[in-house]
Amino acid sequence: MKKIITLLLTSILIISCKSSSSSISKSESNFNELLTIMQGNYSSEKHSKRDTTYFNISLRMVPIWKEKGNYLYVEQAMFSKQEKPYRVRIYKISQINENEFVSEIHTLKNEKDWIGKWKTPEAFDSLTENDIDKKEGCGVVLKRLGKNKFSGSTGNKTCPSELRGASYASSIVIVNSNSIVSWDQGFDKNNKQVWGAEKGGYEFLKY
């Protein structure tokens, strides 16, 4: 009888371990999937040709600080003026659970010194965490909807902004294997939109 009980307990333990291992493996796989498809060079050229109220924007997301975690250096610029990006950021990508992730936004204290350094990512090894500032409340929580598809947004009025008279900003993001849709908007204290696209997000295609 004792042998039977022992065998049963051993079997349950093995099954439990396999289940836990499988869950961790799937969780890591989903995380790596997101990191992989976010990286790259993008443009909204096709979108701008289809709808002339949208500009042709260049978006670059390059992995840096591989020894410190999962960080992406980000530059956004008019495609014709890529040497003068209007947005320079570092995103820290972290996992919340098996299917949810967060992209935390950081600014650089001396961002002009880093423009164009995406060409040589190893240059960021000299940058420290004291050289960047986290934008509290501006993280984008992304949920996995299926293979190579993630969608999410910032919290409700959690991301402060003073740009063009705004009180807060919001971002809605969809990430696919070869594209990113990003809709950034700013609103004043009366919830009136004061900057950003009005009809929908910018559609960036990887090239």
Side-chain angles (χ1 to χ4, degrees), residues 14-25:
I14 290 172
I15 293 170
S16 175
C17 288
K18 285 184 177 180
S19 176
S20 175
S21 175
S22 175
S23 177
I24 292 172
S25 177

Side-chain angles (χ1 to χ4, degrees), residues 29-171:
S29 176
N30 291 345
F31 186 39
N32 290 332
E33 179 181 271
L34 174 62
L35 289 171
T36 299
I37 65 175
M38 284 183 73
Q39 300 171 26
N41 300 320
Y42 300 80
S43 87
S44 61
E45 180 181 10
K46 287 189 176 181
H47 190 190
S48 67
K49 289 180 177 179
R50 191 172 70 249
D51 186 337
T52 56
T53 64
Y54 287 80
F55 298 103
N56 181 11
I57 303 296
S58 166
L59 171 64
R60 300 185 188 277
M61 296 203 286
V62 179
I64 62 169
W65 281 356
K66 292 183 179 180
E67 298 300 319
K68 298 181 182 180
N70 299 288
Y71 293 84
L72 297 173
Y73 171 71
V74 181
E75 278 188 9
Q76 211 165 317
M78 295 293 292
F79 201 86
S80 60
K81 298 180 179 179
Q82 295 185 50
E83 73 283 359
K84 296 181 179 180
Y86 59 82
R87 184 175 295 167
V88 179
R89 298 285 189 267
I90 287 180
Y91 294 172
K92 180 182 179 181
I93 315 300
S94 304
Q95 188 157 13
I96 299 173
N97 55 47
E98 185 176 304
N99 290 305
E100 286 189 311
F101 314 86
V102 61
S103 175
E104 295 175 330
I105 317 300
H106 297 77
T107 58
L108 292 90
K109 294 178 180 177
N110 299 303
E111 64 177 42
K112 290 183 179 179
D113 295 339
W114 303 98
I115 291 174
K117 292 292 195 299
W118 56 268
K119 298 174 185 177
T120 54
E122 60 275 12
F124 290 93
D125 291 345
S126 63
L127 186 72
T128 71
E129 292 176 339
N130 292 326
D131 298 319
I132 64 175
D133 292 313
K134 180 180 175 181
K135 289 177 66 66
E136 295 292 345
C138 298
V140 176
V141 176
L142 294 163
K143 184 174 182 179
R144 187 177 188 269
L145 304 180
K147 184 177 181 181
N148 292 330
K149 185 167 185 178
F150 300 79
S151 178
S153 65
T154 49
N156 183 28
K157 300 182 182 181
T158 61
C159 181
S161 173
E162 297 180 351
L163 180 65
R164 299 175 197 167
S167 176
Y168 65 93
S170 72
S171 296

Side-chain angles (χ1 to χ4, degrees), residues 5-16:
I5 293 174
T6 301
L7 287 171
L8 285 172
L9 289 173
T10 302
S11 298
I12 291 171
L13 182 61
I14 290 172
I15 293 170
S16 175

